[in-house]
Amino acid sequence: MLATVPVPDKHVADYVEAAGEEAVERLREVARPLRGLRLLQLNSTSFGGGVAELLYTHVPLLNDLGIGTTWAVLQGSDDYFAVTKAVHNALQGQAVEWTPQMAATYWDRIVANAAEIPDDFDVHLVHDPQPAAVLRVLEEQGRRSGTWIWRCHIDLSAPHEPVWRFFEPLVNRYDAAIFTLPEFARPGIEGPRLAFIPPSIDPLSVKNRPVSPETIVEVLAAYGIDPARPIIVQVSRFDPWKDPLGVIDAYRLVRKEVPDVQLIMAGSLATDDPEGLRYLDLTEEHRAGDPDIHLFTNLQGVGDLEINVFQQAAWVIVQKSIREGFGLVVAEGMWKRKPVVGGNTGGIRLQVVDGVTGYLVDDVESCARRVVELLMDPALRDRMGQAGHERVRERFLSLRELEDHLRLIAELVGVGP
Ligand code: UDP
């Protein structure tokens, strides 16, 4: 068996206050006929990034609903993760080199991992391209059993073709494929039933629950941030698609209008993202020693509580991505009643209602302009923050996503509520 990830206990009943009685009841109703089912969630990292974040909540809640769920993590290697990061970039549109050697490195880990997948799960939910090919190996070995769903968290609308040609036949074997948005699905996908389900955040997690004002002051002091001065925050892995260099450029324009502004950029270094350190160095270089730009990673002890505090302390949250599957950090910021200035792309467009919960921006200049506007206008910040909170409550909390998953599973395995 692959390595499994231990998760804390969580109970659906505890979500009544955050999500509402009705949402809890609806979820229970959909789960009832699926009780006793065994579900395997398979991804490539137990830490860092959005998928790990989701599974940390979904797995215990599914178990609480009576669906026996195990979270397994594919065992990679440095070479393999270098290849899968290139695949990730290529599938989001970057022209990367794709060599037979890279394909061989990928297959090597896939075959080893497929051998460790037990055959007694009813449903398999496989996340992203990293583990996608295990199904083909199982089929070739005559070991395919149960239902297989591929959950693609990235934007496949304009992939680099050579890499997509490699993956297309691998994902077309699945019974269903879930994308965040219809425009992310590739027209070439034929075979799997398509479902469009946006991700969600857990309102009760350490990252999202309310924090006392004392804790906020304490944490900010520990990280050298002045709570009395304006704060802009971007929380993201250090990755070109998140445009950390563009965020610094925007901050520099903002500072001309709001000289005492501070910028916090926090990004954990995920184990499946070998580019992180290199891009952190580039960002550090671009910071050029500015003491009001604070770059933090998990290596400085920035964990869920600290991220929560930074988001709560922000006057404006920025997510200046160039490509973005969903951007959980956007929902996290909106849930905390913050206006979000986000890149006009992918899943950010689904979350930010331009002019209502924040602004969608296309470049550094418009990003800076909107941030200045918000920093100058507390009433606007409050209004947009409140609207954002309501939007997340209605559409982007964990129970809604679980309900959507279970409806799809019920259709695939042929049971209905
Ligand atoms: N995150 C974190 N610490 C960091 C940076 C990110 O805990 O230093 C979390 C962040 O709060 C969010 C997730 O990692 O929950 C990132 O998910 P998102 O969908 O925004 O981006 P991804 O990394 O999956 O591309």
Side-chain angles (χ1 to χ4, degrees):
M1 176 63 187
L2 296 168
T4 59
V5 184
V7 289
D9 269 354
K10 290 185 189 253
H11 303 284
V12 172
D14 296 336
Y15 287 72
V16 170
E17 195 185 330
E21 180 76 47
E22 208 188 303
V24 169
E25 265 323 299
R26 263 202 330 264
L27 176 60
R28 287 211 171 106
E29 185 79 6
V30 182
R32 205 160 288 131
L34 296 173
R35 269 193 206 149
L37 209 73
R38 298 200 58 211
L39 169 63
L40 179 71
Q41 303 257 12
L42 178 62
N43 82 324
S44 63
T45 178
S46 60
F47 169 77
V51 179
E53 187 78 19
L54 290 171
L55 292 178
Y56 202 67
T57 293
H58 289 194
V59 170
L61 288 180
L62 287 164
N63 279 305
D64 186 52
L65 289 162
I67 296 161
T69 305
T70 300
W71 172 6
V73 175
L74 180 137
Q75 300 301 293
S77 64
D78 290 350
D79 287 356
Y80 167 85
F81 286 131
V83 168
T84 58
K85 186 65 205 283
V87 164
H88 176 96
N89 289 340
L91 292 179
Q92 296 216 115
Q94 204 176 78
V96 306
E97 197 189 9
W98 183 244
T99 63
Q101 176 60 41
M102 291 166 87
T105 301
Y106 181 74
W107 278 118
D108 179 62
R109 294 315 302 154
I110 287 291
V111 169
N113 278 276
E116 303 286 319
I117 295 181
D119 56 9
D120 54 351
F121 285 96
D122 303 300
V123 179
H124 310 77
L125 197 44
V126 178
H127 296 264
D128 280 338
Q130 295 94 334
V134 292
L135 179 55
R136 159 135 172 226
V137 175
L138 295 179
E139 279 183 354
E140 282 173 352
Q141 296 173 349
R143 291 177 51 220
R144 175 181 177 144
S145 65
T147 297
W148 287 77
I149 305 171
W150 186 51
R151 194 342 174 173
C152 179
H153 294 269
I154 58 181
D155 176 353
L156 273 192
S157 54
H160 181 54
E161 282 299 329
V163 177
W164 174 240
R165 276 198 295 278
F166 177 84
F167 275 92
E168 186 177 7
L170 303 176
V171 303
N172 274 339
R173 297 161 189 273
Y174 280 77
D175 297 301
I178 305 175
F179 292 90
T180 297
L181 288 168
E183 57 261 40
F184 285 4
R186 200 56 204 144
I189 292 189
E190 273 165 24
R193 174 189 309 217
L194 295 186
F196 305 107
I197 303 177
S200 58
I201 61 163
D202 180 348
L204 304 189
S205 66
V206 174
K207 180 164 299 161
N208 293 315
R209 65 186 176 218
V211 185
S212 71
E214 297 76 40
T215 307
I216 294 184
V217 169
E218 252 169 52
V219 171
L220 292 181
Y223 284 90
I225 317 257
D226 182 349
R229 288 164 48 198
I231 300 172
I232 314 172
V233 172
Q234 173 159 307
V235 174
S236 276
R237 288 178 295 106
F238 289 95
D239 174 310
W241 304 106
K242 312 282 185 183
D243 198 17
L245 307 186
V247 174
I248 290 180
D249 293 340
Y251 151 88
R252 292 200 166 118
L253 293 177
V254 170
R255 198 177 47 181
K256 290 186 183 160
E257 312 287 326
V258 186
D260 58 346
V261 68
Q262 306 165 90
L263 171 64
I264 302 176
M265 297 175 80
S268 53
L269 299 165
T271 51
D272 65 347
D273 182 1
E275 271 183 356
L277 264 180
R278 193 178 62 81
Y279 222 71
L280 172 63
D281 287 346
L282 278 181
T283 311
E284 178 62 43
E285 225 171 79
H286 204 58
R287 181 176 87 97
D290 184 334
D292 287 324
I293 302 178
H294 301 269
L295 294 189
F296 300 131
T297 72
N298 48 314
L299 303 180
Q300 284 133 301
V302 171
D304 288 351
L305 173 68
E306 289 74 17
I307 295 291
N308 190 343
V309 166
F310 296 154
Q311 289 170 331
Q312 304 265 6
W315 292 28
V316 177
I317 301 239
V318 172
Q319 188 56 42
K320 213 203 137 312
S321 306
I322 294 161
R323 280 277 166 114
E324 188 61 77
F326 182 68
L328 287 174
V329 287
V330 172
E332 290 165 6
M334 287 165 66
W335 179 245
K336 290 163 189 126
R337 298 183 166 81
K338 303 298 171 181
V340 177
V341 176
N344 187 9
T345 182
I348 298 177
R349 279 210 289 254
L350 184 66
Q351 299 179 73
V352 172
V353 183
D354 192 34
V356 178
T357 68
Y359 292 110
L360 294 170
V361 295
D362 292 300
D363 51 33
V364 167
E365 289 71 28
S366 56
C367 177
R369 217 169 32 246
R370 290 308 194 181
V371 170
V372 170
E373 180 186 338
L374 284 159
L375 290 179
M376 304 274 201
D377 189 342
L380 180 65
R381 292 203 300 272
D382 284 353
R383 202 162 61 241
M384 288 189 156
Q386 192 55 38
H389 180 80
E390 288 310 319
R391 184 165 172 81
V392 172
R393 183 179 154 91
E394 280 163 23
R395 302 173 63 147
F396 302 121
L397 295 184
S398 313
L399 300 199
R400 190 274 312 146
E401 186 182 10
L402 284 173
E403 184 188 330
D404 288 347
H405 282 176
L406 293 184
R407 281 190 201 285
L408 174 67
I409 290 172
E411 277 177 35
L412 293 168
V413 302
V415 298

